[in-house]
């Protein structure tokens, strides 16, 4: 993938970390987004935020009010879907929890 041919706006909007194209060359995509669009909203998989860079990732990780791990399902059957495709009814780890549960799990570490 040639970074000069990338449409960064479309790349951010359509970013899909589960795609074959991303699996073949994640470095070019990540480098391009990090340098031109370090915080991007993708509409893939119902929408999610792409955040790059240590300082920004740390800021987002500490701001659960704005960047919640909660993912409400449209049918209201459960407040949780997670990052797995297809959705999975159990959490995959710390990245998928908000306080107070995240605080309780992280405190011992």
């Amino acid at each position: 993938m040639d970074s000069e041919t990338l449409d960064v706006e479309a790349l951010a909007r359509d970013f899909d970390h589960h795609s074959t194209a991303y699996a073949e060359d994640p470095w070019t995509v990540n480098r391009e987004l990090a340098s031109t669009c370090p915080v991007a909203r993708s509409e893939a998989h119902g929408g999610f935020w792409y955040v790059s860079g240590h300082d920004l990732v740390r800021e987002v990780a500490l701001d659960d009010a704005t960047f919640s791990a909660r993912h409400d399902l449209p049918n209201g059957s459960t407040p949780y879907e997670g990052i797995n495709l297809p959705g999975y009814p159990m959490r995959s780890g710390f990245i998928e929890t908000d306080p107070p549960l995240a605080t309780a799990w992280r405190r011992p570490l």
Side-chain angles (χ1 to χ4, degrees), residues 9-75:
E9 186 176 313
L11 180 63
R13 181 188 60 243
D14 302 326
F15 177 72
D16 181 357
H17 53 297
H18 294 290
S19 72
T20 302
Y22 183 73
E24 290 173 355
D25 185 11
W27 304 276
T28 299
V29 174
N30 287 332
R31 200 171 26 253
E32 188 68 23
L33 284 175
S35 67
T36 59
C37 196
V39 178
R41 173 81 180 162
S42 174
E43 296 308 315
H45 310 292
F48 64 92
W49 290 96
Y50 172 92
V51 181
S52 60
H54 179 270
D55 292 340
L56 286 173
V57 170
R58 184 176 191 284
E59 186 176 331
V60 165
L62 295 173
D63 184 0
D64 57 278
T66 304
F67 297 97
S68 175
R70 185 178 180 91
H71 185 86
D72 293 324
L73 296 177
N75 65 8

Side-chain angles (χ1 to χ4, degrees), residues 1-9 11 28-29 32-33:
M1 193 180 305
D2 182 352
S3 65
E4 290 186 25
T5 63
L6 292 176
D7 177 348
V8 177
E9 186 176 313
L11 180 63
T28 299
V29 174
E32 188 68 23
L33 284 175

